[in-house]
Amino acid sequence: MLTQTTSRVLEPSDLDAALAVLGREPVANAFVTSRVQVAGLDPWRLGGEMWGWYEDGMLTSLCYAGANLVPVCATPRAVRAFADRARRAGRRCSSIVGPAESTAALWRLLEPHWGPAREVRAHQPLMVTDRMAADTAPDPYVRRVRKDEMETIMPACVAMFTEEVGVSPLAGDGGLLYQARVAELVGAGRSFARLDEQGRVVFKAEIGAATNQACQIQGVWVAPEYRGRGFAAPGMAAVLRYALTDVAPVVSLYVNDFNTAARRTYTRVGFREVGAFMSVLF
């Protein structure tokens, strides 16, 4: 029995305790929870390690350390322990992302060693809803992307990622990992789009992280030539309807605070702000 405060890499036998921590904040933790529910805590399947922080023998905080570094229900002492472990291991992630308070504290400790970051997005409103807005009808032309439409949806996904993150997902491995993730969402029926008469993507979005308690909409994008023409809100309403009907009773997303147009759209279709995330991009 662990009787002092300590941190360690979790093992598959720690799964139930980890899920109990994740279950304390099902909306904020949806990304990590969805990965753990599918892959467990085996680092190879999970795509990274899960670090645990114990107080008086009880697991109280987590940190997912993979392509992203994500603090989970992290107390100030846990943040310090995770920062120490991350500093010793060296930076292997492309971003730090999570609830704003704990992520900011983690970055303050890591910045002298890992900085400078390419970009810091200190306040990204976390928005949720559990119902459809009464005054925004879903776009009837938004539908699930079929498995044989990868060549159609992939350029739109690349354009969205590049515009949002500031680098192309095709860099490095030529986009193999990114294409595999897009294909995974398409195969799971969680990729949605509206196409125009020429078969080009007008609007797209995905339901990324998904648990039985909450899911997260991501990758919302309208083709530049169609912006300002009223496709975003009905498109989001359509994806929201799919999410609430087929995936989870609560739907969330997080958005850059400077993206006022997107925030207006999400508010219009029923989302409300309940907290904030923060992202540190390398």
Side-chain angles (χ1 to χ4, degrees):
M1 175 69 69
L2 295 166
T3 57
Q4 299 177 346
T5 55
T6 187
S7 68
R8 67 176 176 88
V9 178
L10 299 188
E11 301 175 352
S13 59
D14 299 308
L15 179 60
D16 288 345
L19 287 172
V21 174
L22 289 163
R24 298 208 307 257
E25 298 179 14
V27 173
N29 298 338
F31 167 72
V32 177
T33 303
S34 65
R35 295 189 69 91
V36 171
Q37 287 181 341
V38 171
L41 295 177
D42 176 75
W44 187 85
R45 295 185 61 219
L46 187 61
E49 294 179 337
M50 187 69 76
W51 302 339
W53 169 254
Y54 288 82
E55 298 192 23
D56 296 326
M58 179 175 294
L59 182 64
T60 61
S61 302
L62 304 171
C63 187
Y64 171 71
N68 316 104
L69 192 66
V70 187
V72 175
C73 299
T75 64
R77 286 195 293 177
V79 167
R80 288 194 294 272
F82 295 148
D84 286 341
R85 185 175 289 274
R87 186 171 56 247
R88 292 195 304 269
R91 185 175 69 82
R92 304 172 185 174
C93 59
S94 60
S95 68
I96 307 172
V97 60
E101 183 176 359
S102 57
T103 302
L106 187 59
W107 178 234
R108 280 195 297 271
L109 295 170
L110 288 174
E111 184 176 11
H113 309 276
W114 286 11
R118 180 170 56 83
E119 186 175 357
V120 176
R121 299 177 181 180
H123 184 84
Q124 298 172 298
L126 174 65
M127 308 182 76
V128 303
T129 188
D130 60 1
R131 66 198 65 191
M132 300 288 296
D135 57 352
T136 303
D139 185 340
Y141 293 102
V142 171
R143 58 170 176 81
R144 283 186 166 92
V145 177
R146 301 191 307 266
K147 293 180 182 179
D148 63 352
E149 293 178 314
M150 277 294 295
E151 291 187 1
T152 298
I153 198 64
M154 190 65 185
C157 292
V158 170
M160 177 281 305
F161 187 99
T162 304
E163 185 176 337
E164 171 66 18
V165 179
V167 296
S168 171
L170 305 182
D173 67 351
L176 293 178
L177 286 176
Y178 185 69
Q179 185 169 354
R181 177 56 177 160
V182 173
E184 178 185 353
L185 292 174
V186 170
R190 304 214 307 263
S191 175
F192 303 88
R194 174 180 176 145
L195 307 184
D196 65 14
E197 293 82 359
Q198 288 75 43
R200 299 171 300 187
V201 175
V202 173
F203 166 91
K204 77 149 199 83
E206 297 92 37
I207 300 170
T211 73
N212 59 3
Q213 293 179 285
C215 65
Q216 189 177 89
I217 294 177
Q218 65 179 40
V220 181
W221 183 81
V222 176
E225 62 269 28
Y226 284 101
R227 292 175 187 174
R229 294 169 57 178
F231 288 101
M236 276 297 298
V239 177
L240 177 60
R241 181 172 61 183
Y242 280 111
L244 290 171
T245 302
D246 299 341
V247 183
V250 176
V251 182
S252 71
L253 55 81
Y254 64 97
V255 58
N256 293 316
D257 58 354
F258 54 79
N259 194 342
T260 54
R263 293 174 68 180
R264 282 197 302 268
T265 294
Y266 302 148
T267 300
R268 177 179 168 187
V269 300
F271 285 89
R272 66 189 186 281
E273 187 173 336
V274 297
F277 271 33
M278 172 177 172
S279 296
V280 180
L281 307 178
F282 299 105

